[in-house]
Amino acid sequence: MRVIPGAWQRTADGAGLRAADGTIGTTIFAEMSGLAARTGAINLGQGFPDEDGPAEVLDAAMRAIADGVNQYAPGRGFPDLLAAVAEHQERFYGLHLDPERDIIATAGATEALAATLLALLDGPDDEVVVFEPYYDAYAAAVALAGARLVPVPLRWPDFQPDLDRLTAAVSDRTRVILVNDPHNPTGAVFTPAVRRRIVELAESHDAIIVTDEVYEHLAFDAPHVPIATLPGAGERTVSISSAGKTFSVTGWKIGWVSGPAPVISAILTVKQYLTYVNGSPFQPAVAAGLRLPDAFFEGIATTLREKRDVLGRGLTAAGFDVSTPRGTYFTVADAAPLGATDAAEFCRALPERAGVVGIPLTAFASRENRAEYATLVRFAACKRADVLDEASRRLSLLGG
């Protein structure tokens, strides 16, 4: 069989993995992490912490394993986790959810996104408006569903959308407006005006808002504001989050999706045929984490803000122009002052030049719009302070 037919081809195209000659490449994350391993470079590319999460959460997982919580969880998730998610949404945002009807536990936010998009999209006439640059899984899932991605660009250095361009992008064909806030890869937090306009457009075109809020507790300047809390938004918003970024357990893959019960039931119809269930002993551990005191959640944002500042100073000293992120793990820097014209080639050479790995922002953009981000590089600050100090020292060699 020369050509293997199937939806995998449009998924690969959506994620930008198919080269001009038709071959399928690896993701940029795999490529750059492989470079880090081969060269001994510090990996500031892929967004995973190098420290474990809180002891209370880790201990709860070990107790669950020892207590025999090792078989299938209920299809929606363990009731205690669903209750903890509902308590969390009420405690931090004043959102009232029925844990038995309005929430599903998922295999991380990625599965939650895939199940949501596969459930809500119905072919090539449906469009998904997304802010570009975007997490690559968005484009892959939209392509897998057979729908069309409509990007709205975010511009250096503050990475806020132009409201007129956003308005023009949304139409009666728009089935979903997909919002990642705080935003990966740029570190932006959208302004109140942007959030309000998203809700207005969704209402006027009868679209569903899907929010990826995995960095909700890593907003630096003010508490996170979920779109679901805005007037008129709750009835048409699906909110997604996960434990990985908040509790530094990215390998556990415990996420959740919440929203109006009829929409959640539609998503469950698809989700149950993806993983069915996952991570039984991790679910009670995440429930324990969601019930940690406010000081924990305040502390992780403060700690990462300090790391952001360390990384930003190091990048500035190395000669980059630096955008100051308002949240997430990530800082975007412009390598043009260092002579870069192609971020991907710059990042491929960086491990040998400076012993550090970053990710080109072009990896998060549609092929037709990559020139907009040609010299921008994403670096991750979610590493130990001593690692960031050493990375800054190594990057300083670029200016020598």
Side-chain angles (χ1 to χ4, degrees):
M1 185 181 296
R2 285 187 170 184
V3 177
I4 301 173
W8 72 271
Q9 294 187 63
R10 66 172 181 262
T11 304
D13 288 337
L17 297 182
R18 193 194 298 265
D21 63 0
T23 58
I24 304 299
T26 61
T27 68
I28 194 68
F29 309 104
E31 180 185 355
M32 293 300 158
S33 290
L35 265 177
R38 289 195 299 276
T39 63
I42 295 173
N43 190 352
L44 301 187
Q46 199 163 3
F48 58 86
D50 57 2
E51 297 175 281
D52 281 332
E56 300 95 324
V57 175
L58 304 180
D59 291 346
M62 290 187 282
R63 284 196 304 273
I65 292 170
D67 291 344
V69 187
N70 301 303
Q71 308 309 322
Y72 292 130
R76 284 181 177 264
F78 280 116
D80 190 49
L81 174 58
L82 303 180
V85 172
E87 293 164 16
H88 172 275
Q89 298 301 89
E90 172 84 34
R91 170 185 168 192
F92 287 100
Y93 311 126
L95 290 168
H96 307 287
L97 297 173
D98 181 345
E100 296 181 357
R101 302 174 66 244
D102 299 341
I103 307 168
I104 308 167
T106 61
T110 302
E111 189 206 27
L113 285 158
T116 298
L117 293 171
L118 288 169
L120 299 180
L121 301 174
D122 196 28
D125 292 333
D126 287 346
E127 295 182 349
V128 176
V129 171
V130 66
F131 296 98
E132 186 176 49
Y134 46 76
Y135 181 48
D136 61 346
Y138 299 168
V142 170
L144 179 61
R148 178 171 175 261
L149 200 71
V150 179
V152 175
L154 304 177
R155 298 298 188 211
W156 167 275
D158 63 349
F159 294 111
Q160 296 294 318
D162 179 90
L163 294 184
D164 289 337
R165 294 194 67 168
L166 172 60
T167 300
V170 181
S171 73
D172 289 343
R173 293 185 300 276
T174 303
R175 181 65 176 146
V176 168
I177 303 174
L178 179 51
V179 183
N180 179 204
D181 184 19
H183 185 263
N184 173 20
T186 68
V189 170
F190 291 140
T191 66
V194 171
R195 291 193 291 265
R196 286 194 301 269
R197 192 66 184 127
I198 290 167
V199 176
E200 291 167 357
L201 290 166
E203 288 180 321
S204 62
H205 295 284
D206 196 25
I208 294 177
I209 304 167
V210 176
T211 65
D212 176 353
E213 302 178 49
V214 298
Y215 295 100
E216 60 186 316
H217 289 294
L218 297 176
F220 302 140
D221 301 321
H224 172 61
V225 178
I227 282 182
T229 63
L230 273 61
E235 65 188 31
R236 62 176 64 255
T237 300
V238 173
S239 303
I240 291 170
S241 194
S242 75
K245 306 304 190 296
T246 298
F247 303 114
S248 295
V249 288
T250 58
W252 286 12
K253 301 300 291 180
I254 301 296
W256 49 89
V257 54
S258 62
V263 182
I264 294 301
S265 293
I267 295 167
L268 177 62
T269 301
V270 172
K271 181 263 183 295
Q272 65 192 349
Y273 296 111
L274 297 177
T275 59
Y276 175 47
V277 295
N278 79 298
S280 289
F282 299 133
Q283 291 193 26
V286 172
L290 290 171
R291 293 178 173 124
L292 287 171
D294 290 355
F296 166 76
F297 296 96
E298 294 164 1
I300 59 173
T302 298
T303 297
L304 194 59
R305 182 170 59 242
E306 292 168 353
K307 292 181 176 183
R308 171 204 69 179
D309 293 343
V310 170
L311 177 59
R313 287 192 297 268
L315 291 169
T316 299
F320 292 89
D321 285 340
V322 179
S323 171
T324 300
R326 305 301 179 188
T328 78
Y329 284 171
F330 306 111
T331 293
V332 174
D334 189 355
L338 294 168
T341 58
D342 182 323
E345 291 307 313
F346 178 85
C347 287
R348 290 186 178 104
L350 193 59
E352 293 288 353
R353 291 181 62 191
V356 175
V357 165
I359 298 286
L361 219 63
T362 48
F364 302 90
S366 54
R367 185 170 279 107
E368 59 269 25
N369 293 332
R370 287 177 186 168
E372 301 283 343
Y373 311 100
T375 59
L376 303 182
V377 180
R378 189 194 78 172
F379 294 94
C382 53
K383 309 297 179 182
R384 298 190 316 272
D386 63 299
V387 172
L388 294 174
D389 286 338
E390 174 61 15
S392 295
R393 186 195 67 78
R394 295 183 183 188
L395 288 167
S396 69
L397 303 176
L398 289 170

